[in-house]
Amino acid sequence: MIPEPTLSHLKDRIAAADHPRELVVDVMFALQEHYGYLSDEAVETTGALLGMSPLQVEELATFYTFLYREPVGRYVIHLCDSVICWLDGAESLRDHLCRKLKIEMGRTTPDGLFTLLPVCCIGYCDRSPAMLVNRKVYGPLTPEKVDELLEKLKQESE
Amino acid sequence: MSSQETKKYPSVLLQNRHPDRIATLDEYRRSGGYEGLTALLGAGNPKQAQQVLLDANLLGRGGAAFPAGKKMMTIAENAPFPRYVVCNADEMEPGTFKDRVLIFADPHQLIEGIVIAGYAARASHGIIFIRPEYEQAARIMEREIEVARSEGLVGRNILQSGYDMEIVVHRSGGRYICGEATAQINALMGVRPNPKQPPPYPTTKGLWQRPTVVQNVETLCCMPHILRNGAQWFGSLALTENGAGTKVFCVSGRVERPGCYELPMGVPLKEIVEVHAGGIKNGGRFKACLPGGASTAFVPARLYDIPMDYESLKQEGFRLGTAAVMVFDHSDCLVDATVNLLDFFARESCGWCTPCRDGLPYIRDLMKRVEAGRGSTETIEKIETMCRHMWSAYCAFAPGAVSPVQGLMAEFKDEVMAHVEQGGCPFK
Ligand SMILES: Cc1cc2nc3c(=O)[nH]c(=O)nc-3n(C[C@H](O)[C@H](O)[C@H](O)COP(=O)(O)O)c2cc1C
Ligand code: SF4
Ligand code: FES
């Protein structure tokens, strides 16, 4: 269940909106924050809050890059694979990450810490190759910097 | 060219840029900020703003280069209210990061631009549509909107003029097509963000079926300066007859100093790369660039001196797009780069229409075959035919997607053919 404060905050915002549906992405983000991903229950709750059918919500949930319909790790790594990062070695960085985390792209480590996903140009081509970890940007990256960061995140989570 | 010579250009949009922090309201005001808006509200004539934007030849900086004044003028006098201004801060075109830099440099410049556009369109609501990667920028805007509100620059009765305008930040869930104006309007309404072919145009029936002006961040940022200093001044900033204003070029790829450079419209490509971005790195040679994001065609070295403005590029068959200059050097395989670009477009196709949804992955696969040395002249003909089909897709996404492919075929056919003839990539 969603905690009451979160729910009532959302309800207040929805009541104040001219068109409740304009808040659908915000609501999905808030519920995703709570569940860790956009669970079936979150899809239904979103629909109930905004007067949308679960299918209408699903149509959006599966469309957007930053909404996850499956469980993800505590740290979601989005590695940019668009052209500038690609020129600057995004592919070898990807291989490095896969090797380090012992997972393929699109997977989550068994300890539930890291999910590795490709992403389109994140608007930091002046810092290529770049990636996001929980939407925070890192770059320009080298394998060494990636290792340091992974180590730091692991420690933080302990 | 010496570094001193490069100093001669006036900095307008980025004049308050600091390396480590955003400009405050006070700093913005000291540089003339909110003077344009004050004068406009004092004169009390929205049409005057429309006219000066038109006279200034302010072309949309989001890629399509549509005249901003003209867009405002298409709103009928008796069109219904409320009307909306949508600030397009989606900035998902690969290679483009100027809107982020503009927001971080001087958020009040954007706020003033939105209020000016709002007044010109007689809109009461401003919405900043921002990509999720720019969460920090979204927070900056929310905070500075409140600062502006406390100073009577946003909200009710702006500067005691009787004009009301609210500005809110809308966070996207993240998808390239949301940058396209009609898709963005759908996204704002909480429906699947497919594009919608006009007519009706958004200025007639946009957000919630009401007149809506969608403008790029940089376009809006130009507005305060035009209102304050006049259309003629704006025109005089450009180096070329047809250009107007400055342009924030985002330079990336094989250059020494990737970054955002505000330069006069019409500055030669070569100067952007060799002087401002520090030249090609590691002693490389300029081979080509995509002049305005992934949806533009490769500009070859023979056009290295081309003035970078909308008209000059158009005359040579190119587009300035977002002015995201992505530079490739002699060691880069442009066939391989095109495969990467097609990967992007195939992934980001919204899936609404068949030519794009099915055609792009097909073109990508054919191109991959060529890159791997398994292509033939028939493969290449097939690619060219498929590219032409993309022009019958539902929105401008698909023609944009094949722009680099068609450019590759037009300017770098030898390189493509070398893959076929050698049975492999000559760069590997
Ligand atoms: C596929 C596609 C993606 C687009 N992405 C953006 C974008 O990210 N930002 C933007 O300002 N304009 C983008 N545009 C252009 C918008 O449709 C629209 O022309 C622009 O926002 C209008 O503002 P302007 O006239 O100030 O440029 C895109 C267009 C297409 C076809
Ligand atoms: S051209 Fe592509 S992006 Fe545009 S509507 Fe068709 S499928 Fe969607
Ligand atoms: S290409 Fe990776 S951030 Fe732009």
Side-chain angles (χ1 to χ4, degrees), chain B residues 126-405:
Chain B
I127 301 157
I128 301 171
F129 185 97
I130 196 161
R131 62 183 302 186
E133 292 86 340
Y134 291 178
E135 177 57 28
Q136 214 189 331
R139 287 183 194 171
I140 290 171
M141 288 315 302
E142 281 176 336
R143 190 185 68 208
E144 297 305 316
I145 288 166
E146 288 317 306
V147 172
R149 185 192 306 283
S150 68
E151 295 282 314
L153 298 161
V154 166
R156 295 202 71 87
N157 193 16
I158 295 172
L159 295 170
Q160 265 99 52
S161 65
Y163 174 56
D164 302 335
M165 189 191 207
E166 288 300 334
I167 305 179
V168 296
V169 175
H170 181 102
R171 289 162 167 82
S172 171
R175 201 68 198 271
Y176 176 63
I177 198 61
C178 297
E180 195 280 333
T182 58
Q184 188 156 101
I185 288 169
N186 278 335
L188 284 167
M189 296 194 293
V191 295
R192 197 171 190 277
N194 307 317
K196 199 188 153 304
Q197 244 171 23
Y201 286 90
T203 44
T204 310
K205 272 192 176 159
L207 190 56
W208 313 112
Q209 311 303 315
R210 291 290 188 270
T212 303
V213 173
V214 181
Q215 280 323 166
N216 173 256
V217 168
E218 187 182 354
T219 316
L220 291 163
C221 286
C222 290
M223 292 185 185
H225 303 282
I226 294 172
L227 279 242
R228 192 162 77 93
N229 301 311
Q232 220 177 357
W233 165 85
F234 194 69
S236 73
L237 290 171
L239 296 186
T240 41
E241 196 62 38
N242 290 320
T246 63
K247 184 74 198 74
V248 181
F249 293 92
C250 321
V251 192
S252 64
R254 305 288 189 206
V255 292
E256 278 294 343
R257 289 193 301 272
C260 268
Y261 301 95
E262 184 186 18
L263 299 167
M265 195 67 91
V267 64
L269 170 60
K270 186 174 178 181
E271 183 183 326
I272 298 175
V273 174
E274 297 293 334
V275 180
H276 304 283
I280 307 292
K281 66 182 171 192
N282 303 328
R285 257 190 349 273
F286 176 90
K287 176 174 180 179
C289 77
L290 292 165
S295 327
T296 58
F298 294 102
V299 172
R302 75 178 164 84
L303 292 172
Y304 209 15
D305 287 317
I306 196 166
M308 291 287 274
D309 65 50
Y310 296 102
E311 195 52 38
S312 306
L313 280 166
K314 199 166 148 193
Q315 278 167 14
E316 293 286 345
F318 295 91
R319 290 194 316 115
L320 185 59
T322 61
V325 180
M326 303 196 264
V327 178
F328 301 87
D329 76 8
H330 68 283
S331 68
D332 293 320
C333 172
L334 295 185
V335 177
D336 211 3
T338 305
V339 170
N340 176 281
L341 295 166
L342 284 166
D343 267 329
F344 165 81
F345 287 113
R347 189 196 290 165
E348 288 301 306
S349 163
C350 88
W352 179 250
C353 71
T354 319
C356 171
R357 183 189 57 233
D358 291 352
L360 288 176
Y362 185 45
I363 298 172
R364 188 250 337 256
D365 292 347
L366 292 173
M367 193 59 91
K368 257 191 169 151
R369 207 180 294 170
V370 174
E371 160 61 18
R374 289 185 283 106
S376 62
T377 43
E378 286 84 72
T379 322
I380 288 160
E381 276 162 26
K382 189 89 207 159
I383 292 174
E384 291 180 316
T385 310
M386 286 302 296
C387 285
R388 284 193 294 274
H389 289 329
M390 289 307 117
W391 289 79
S392 56
Y394 188 71
C395 85
F397 174 98
V402 293
S403 284
V405 186

Side-chain angles (χ1 to χ4, degrees), chain A residues 80-86 119-131, chain B residues 93-97 252 326:
Chain A
C80 174
D81 62 3
S82 289
V83 66
I84 298 302
C85 292
W86 170 83
V119 74
C120 296
C121 177
I122 53 178
Y124 284 90
C125 329
D126 49 344
R127 289 166 64 180
S128 64
M131 69 182 191
Chain B
E93 186 65 39
T96 315
F97 45 94
S252 64
M326 303 196 264

